[in-house]
């Protein structure tokens, strides 16, 4: 009787072990499948993020190029100040640079993918901690940089543009700003004109001067997000 009982317990124990092993195998397969699905989702998100930030990099490069182009026009005009004798000035060049002095753009990055990540739990899918932190801090970084651009834009629209419309032939042709006979060229010799140019220089300097590191931080973050979201770095 005891022998039979012993065999029964051994059999029951073996059955329990097999059941436990089966459960563990099932859980392992389920976890593996969940991780595989999670990894696939991460790859899709990173691919979209990579494309978004490559586009943002192109836009930022273009905007900075335009700011630098405007600054060159400002520097040309400042090199002529104070204008003492209009007869000795090349009015075509002055007209051209006054036109381009006022060119302005702001960096408005695409944010569909990154905002979707930030505003949902999907950001937790990103396995790379460095990339996750860059994503979380992105919007604040953009706002810090945009402050200077928005201030420069507002100064131009509210103060400098009205000056241009009052004193120049506000025209889409950069060589016609000063050619209209109704333009009083003596305005070019005034302190008001000097201040108009210097105000624009100040606004552009705030964007391009990297004393506070905002522009460098923006460029570095874009480059780093592109690098860390490349498929070759997430296999």
């Amino acid at each position: 009787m005891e022998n039979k009982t012993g065999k029964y317990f051994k059999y029951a124990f073996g059955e329990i072990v097999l059941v436990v092993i089966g459960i563990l195998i099932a859980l392992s397969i389920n976890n593996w499948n969940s991780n595989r699905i999670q990894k696939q989702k991460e790859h899709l998100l990173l691919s979209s993020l990579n494309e978004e930030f490559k586009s943002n990099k192109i836009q930022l490069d273009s905007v900075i190029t335009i700011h630098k182009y405007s600054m060159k026009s400002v520097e040309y005009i400042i090199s002529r100040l104070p204008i003492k004798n209009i007869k000795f000035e090349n009015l075509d060049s002055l007209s051209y640079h006054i036109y381009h002095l006022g060119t302005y753009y702001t960096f408005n990055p695409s944010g569909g993918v990154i905002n979707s990540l930030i505003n949902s739990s999907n950001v937790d899918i990103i396995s790379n901690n460095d990339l996750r932190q860059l994503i979380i801090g992105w919007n604040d970084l953009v706002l810090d940089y945009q402050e200077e651009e928005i201030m420069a834009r507002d100064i131009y629209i509210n103060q400098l543009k009205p000056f241009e419309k009052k004193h120049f032939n506000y025209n889409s042709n950069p060589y016609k700003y000063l050619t209209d006979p109704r333009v009083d060229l003596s305005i070019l010799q005034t302190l008001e004109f000097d201040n108009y140019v210097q105000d624009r220089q100040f606004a552009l300097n705030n964007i391009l001067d990297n004393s506070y590191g905002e522009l460098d931080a923006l460029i570095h973050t874009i480059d780093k997000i592109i690098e860390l979201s490349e498929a070759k770095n997430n296999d």
Side-chain angles (χ1 to χ4, degrees), residues 92 94-97 99-100 171-178:
D92 281 344
L94 273 176
S95 179
Y96 175 86
H97 288 294
Y99 174 90
H100 286 289
N171 197 287
S172 60
N173 187 329
Y175 294 101
K176 290 187 176 181
Y177 259 48
L178 302 176

Side-chain angles (χ1 to χ4, degrees), residues 148-187:
E148 303 300 341
E149 281 192 338
I150 291 170
M151 181 166 54
R153 181 199 65 192
D154 290 348
I155 289 173
Y156 176 73
I157 291 174
N158 298 322
Q159 299 176 33
L160 307 184
K161 190 173 183 178
F163 176 87
E164 292 176 359
K165 286 191 169 184
K166 179 179 180 180
H167 295 292
F168 307 132
N169 178 20
Y170 195 75
N171 197 287
S172 60
N173 187 329
Y175 294 101
K176 290 187 176 181
Y177 259 48
L178 302 176
T179 57
D180 192 297
R182 293 169 296 178
V183 173
D184 182 359
L185 294 176
S186 66
I187 189 65

Side-chain angles (χ1 to χ4, degrees), residues 38-48 231 234-235:
Q38 193 89 329
K39 198 65 180 175
Q40 287 177 342
K41 189 173 182 180
E42 181 185 12
H43 273 293
L44 288 173
L45 287 170
L46 290 178
S47 177
S48 298
N234 294 282
D235 291 331

